[in-house]
DNA sequence: GTCCAGGCATGCA
DNA sequence: TGCATGCATGGA
């Protein structure tokens, strides 16, 4: 991949294994919206971005060298060799055609707090509705950052809300989880920096201390918000996929099971709808 | 009207 | 330990 700085835009050339449509709309991040021109606009870590791709060239609009190096390079996981990762995953004969069909799905390295909050909202919910709730949450309690966009509200900010405030956003029965989660995180009940450096099992145990966080949500948070590529979330769709692996997961998933999971999740949502 | 969605806490055995 | 149940909301 080659990086060019062109005015207020950043151009990446020879980008391999990145499909923006799949990556930004496959249920791992909830704040990206496709624009009429085919590009994607979204907010991450308090910063707005418009991104588009044509052939192997990616354009990041109205951004800076600093934001690219400090935020977006890591966010889009450009330090990982997805071509090699996909080759490894294709050693599994069941996954091979799925990797080909959805080639270019990447794991996004998102803000830990945003992912934690988002996936507590996600439980027993559908992706369209999750996006709506999070959009209303950000508009009501985030910081205005221009382009009509808002940052994801901090735990400190959300710790001032009542259960009723969360219910008003349409969070349903999860309101009580969010109310306590925000207060506990704001009070430092878990140490986000420490979790990053723990072994997977211990990191998961830390997250499970939180009210409203179970094994599935914890695994999503570890995979999308803490860089644990071997975390393997199993939701209602993945339970259906697991029937194809009666003998357990293949060895080629080791260390990158989370990425395999994202391809399988997307496949299940598109192919098993009549379940 | 019924069923379902990137599940969890709770109670009970 | 494992299993059954209730839970808010909106789209299909």
């Amino acid at each position: 991949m080659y990086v060019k700085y062109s005015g207020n835009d950043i151009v990446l050339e020879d980008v391999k294994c990145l499909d923006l449509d799949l990556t930004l709309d496959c249920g791992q991040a909830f704040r990206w919206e496709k624009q009429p021109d085919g590009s994607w606009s979204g907010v991450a870590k308090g910063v707005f971005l418009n991104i588009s791709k044509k052939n192997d060239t990616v354009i990041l609009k109205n951004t800076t060298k600093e934001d690219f190096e400090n935020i977006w390079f890591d966010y889009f996981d450009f330090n990982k060799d997805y071509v090699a990762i996909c080759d490894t995953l294709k050693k599994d004969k069941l996954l091979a055609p799925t990797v080909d069909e959805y080639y270019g799905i990447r794991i996004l390295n998102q803000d830990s707090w945003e992912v934690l909050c988002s996936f507590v909202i996600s439980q027993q919910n559908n992706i369209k509705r999750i996006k709506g709730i999070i959009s209303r949450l950000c508009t009501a309690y985030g910081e205005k950052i221009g382009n009509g966009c808002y940052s994801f509200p901090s735990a400190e900010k959300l710790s001032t809300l009542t259960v009723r405030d969360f219910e008003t956003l349409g969070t349903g029965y999860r309101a009580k989880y969010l109310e306590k989660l925000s207060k506990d995180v704001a009070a430092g009940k878990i140490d986000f920096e420490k979790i990053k450096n723990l072994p997977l099992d211990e990191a998961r145990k830390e997250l499970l201390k939180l009210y409203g966080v179970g094994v599935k949500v914890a695994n999503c948070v570890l995979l999308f918000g803490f860089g644990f590529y071997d975390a393997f979330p199993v939701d209602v769709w993945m339970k259906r996929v697991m029937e194809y692996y009666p003998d357990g997961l293949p060895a080629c998933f080791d260390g990158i099971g989370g990425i395999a999971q994202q391809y399988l999740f997307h496949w299940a949502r598109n192919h098993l709808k009549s379940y």
Side-chain angles (χ1 to χ4, degrees):
Chain A
M1 185 179 87
Y2 305 96
V3 184
K4 285 187 180 173
Y5 301 96
S6 165
N8 291 326
D9 298 344
I10 291 176
V11 180
L12 312 176
E13 295 185 341
D14 198 27
V15 177
K16 299 297 183 193
C17 197
L18 169 63
D19 186 314
L20 291 175
D21 289 1
L22 293 173
T23 299
L24 297 174
D25 200 25
C26 68
Q28 59 174 320
F30 303 101
R31 298 206 61 200
W32 291 93
E33 296 296 337
K34 191 164 188 173
Q35 305 303 307
D37 66 357
S39 67
W40 288 86
S41 292
V43 178
K45 302 183 183 181
V47 177
F48 172 85
L49 181 72
N50 175 269
I51 184 168
S52 58
K53 181 166 182 279
K54 209 173 262 182
N55 299 320
D56 288 345
T57 301
V58 172
I59 300 175
L60 293 78
K61 276 203 171 155
N62 277 310
T63 188
T64 64
K65 187 171 187 283
E66 286 68 33
D67 280 349
F68 175 67
E69 289 175 351
N70 296 330
I71 299 174
W72 305 118
F73 185 83
D74 179 59
Y75 186 85
F76 288 99
D77 220 10
F78 284 133
N79 52 350
K80 271 205 160 43
D81 184 353
Y82 272 76
V83 174
I85 289 170
C86 286
D87 283 345
T88 301
L89 292 178
K90 284 171 74 172
K91 288 177 186 167
D92 175 41
K93 295 302 172 200
L94 276 171
L95 185 54
T98 302
V99 170
D100 285 336
E101 185 177 358
Y102 301 118
Y103 194 72
I105 294 181
R106 283 172 173 255
I107 299 298
L108 299 170
N109 290 304
Q110 303 175 66
D111 174 74
S112 308
W113 162 244
E114 176 174 338
V115 173
L116 176 57
C117 210
S118 297
F119 277 90
V120 166
I121 292 168
S122 82
Q123 61 184 75
Q124 192 65 17
N125 211 338
N126 60 66
I127 291 175
K128 183 177 171 162
R129 217 178 130 236
I130 297 163
K131 288 176 89 165
I133 292 169
I134 291 174
S135 173
R136 293 192 289 276
L137 177 74
C138 293
T139 303
Y141 301 108
E143 310 262 347
K144 198 161 193 167
I145 59 168
N147 296 82
C149 290
Y150 296 81
S151 67
F152 193 90
S154 66
E156 289 70 27
K157 174 72 178 182
L158 295 186
S159 71
T160 64
L161 307 199
T162 64
V163 173
R164 182 67 199 142
D165 292 330
F166 284 109
E167 283 174 347
T168 303
L169 297 168
T171 57
Y173 74 92
R174 309 160 196 83
K176 58 185 180 296
Y177 300 156
L178 295 165
E179 189 259 353
K180 184 153 173 54
L181 176 73
S182 300
K183 287 181 169 56
D184 283 346
V185 168
K189 180 166 182 173
I190 61 166
D191 183 340
F192 283 73
E193 287 307 311
K194 191 179 92 179
I195 289 174
K196 282 180 188 160
N197 299 311
L198 291 174
L200 176 61
D201 286 346
E202 291 179 37
R204 189 187 294 117
K205 208 175 290 181
E206 284 298 304
L207 292 174
L208 290 173
K209 289 179 181 171
L210 299 166
Y211 183 56
V213 176
V215 173
K216 191 272 165 180
V217 167
N219 280 328
C220 283
V221 177
L222 292 169
L223 176 59
F224 304 130
F226 283 98
F228 285 85
Y229 288 83
D230 46 349
F232 196 86
V234 178
D235 71 322
V236 292
W237 294 104
M238 286 304 296
K239 275 178 189 160
R240 295 159 192 170
V241 170
M242 294 308 285
E243 293 178 16
Y244 293 82
Y245 291 98
D247 301 323
L249 299 174
C252 67
F253 282 21
D254 288 354
I256 48 175
I259 301 173
Q261 177 274 159
Q262 202 57 24
Y263 279 90
L264 291 167
F265 171 74
H266 199 71
W267 174 83
R269 279 180 26 97
N270 284 321
H271 290 267
L272 301 178
K273 282 180 179 171
S274 59
Y275 220 86

